[in-house]
């Protein structure tokens, strides 16, 4: 049966053998990951346009994609993932946005470090497998961003759950 809050696909969580409170947190994490997936699509699209289309440096293109995705993710998380907390907090919206941005800036630092490490470790693998330097660079660049996003997902969820969207 579909839920009225637009998350009918998450109803399978009801069958998990966990407490209702933990089930809510799993559901919240799944929503956060879904929002993050939309953010990843935005991030990768913009990073590729700026890097390969407009010839911006890798780090700059990555930062533009990341920052745009951050604001998209804040809005979606505020409205959907943590929507139930909008009415139970005494925090101003500007404080919440500021906290989300701070968490995201730290996440960008983590992202940049992981992206560089993964890119430099994996680039020889892609070059050997693909035999086309341009394709190897595009695959390596996107793979390294996706790996970094995967790492940052857990940082962002934990800190935003405990600090930014905490009940007052």
């Amino acid at each position: 049966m579909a839920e009225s809050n637009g998350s009918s696909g998450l109803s399978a969580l009801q069958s998990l053998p966990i407490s209702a409170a933990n089930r809510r947190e799993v559901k919240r994490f799944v929503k956060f990951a879904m929002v993050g997936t939309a953010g990843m699509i935005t991030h990768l699209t913009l990073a590729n346009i700026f890097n390969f289309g407009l010839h911006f440096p890798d780090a700059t293109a990555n930062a533009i994609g990341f920052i745009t995705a951050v604001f998209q993710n804040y809005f979606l998380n505020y409205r959907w993932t943590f929507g139930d907390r909008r009415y139970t907090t005494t925090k101003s919206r500007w404080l919440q946005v500021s906290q989300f941005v701070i968490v995201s800036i730290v996440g960008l630092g983590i992202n940049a470090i992981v992206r560089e490490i993964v890119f430099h470790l994996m680039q020889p693998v892609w070059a050997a497998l693909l035999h086309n330097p341009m394709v190897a660079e595009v695959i390596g660049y996107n793979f390294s961003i996706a790996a970094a996003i995967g790492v940052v997902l857990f940082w962002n969820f934990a800190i935003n759950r405990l600090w930014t969207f905490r009940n007052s």
Side-chain angles (χ1 to χ4, degrees), residues 9-84:
L10 300 176
S11 61
L13 294 173
Q14 297 302 321
S15 64
L16 291 177
I18 57 177
S19 71
N22 287 340
R23 191 174 300 116
R24 274 192 308 276
E25 289 308 310
V26 169
K27 184 176 179 180
R28 191 181 311 275
F29 179 79
V30 170
K31 286 180 172 183
F32 192 87
M34 291 169 70
V35 167
T37 299
M40 182 175 76
I41 291 166
T42 298
H43 181 163
L44 289 172
T45 299
L46 291 175
N48 278 280
I49 288 169
F50 280 94
N51 188 13
F52 298 110
L54 300 174
H55 307 291
F56 279 54
D58 290 357
T60 303
N62 184 45
I64 291 168
F66 185 90
I67 290 165
T68 304
V70 163
F71 285 102
Q72 173 185 303
N73 288 356
Y74 172 78
F75 177 75
L76 293 172
N77 280 312
Y78 177 79
R79 300 288 298 169
W80 187 47
T81 308
F82 298 100
D84 59 316

Side-chain angles (χ1 to χ4, degrees), residues 6 8 14 20 25 27 31 36 41 59 61 67-68 82 91 95 98 125-126 135 146 149 151 155 164:
S8 60
Q14 297 302 321
E25 289 308 310
K27 184 176 179 180
K31 286 180 172 183
I41 291 166
I67 290 165
T68 304
F82 298 100
K91 281 184 190 178
L95 176 59
S98 299
V125 174
W126 299 123
V135 172
I149 289 169
V151 171
W155 157 264
T164 308

Side-chain angles (χ1 to χ4, degrees), residues 107 110-115 118 143-153:
I110 297 167
N111 176 293
I113 292 166
V114 171
R115 186 187 68 77
V118 171
F143 180 84
S144 66
I145 290 175
I149 289 169
V151 171
V152 173
L153 166 68

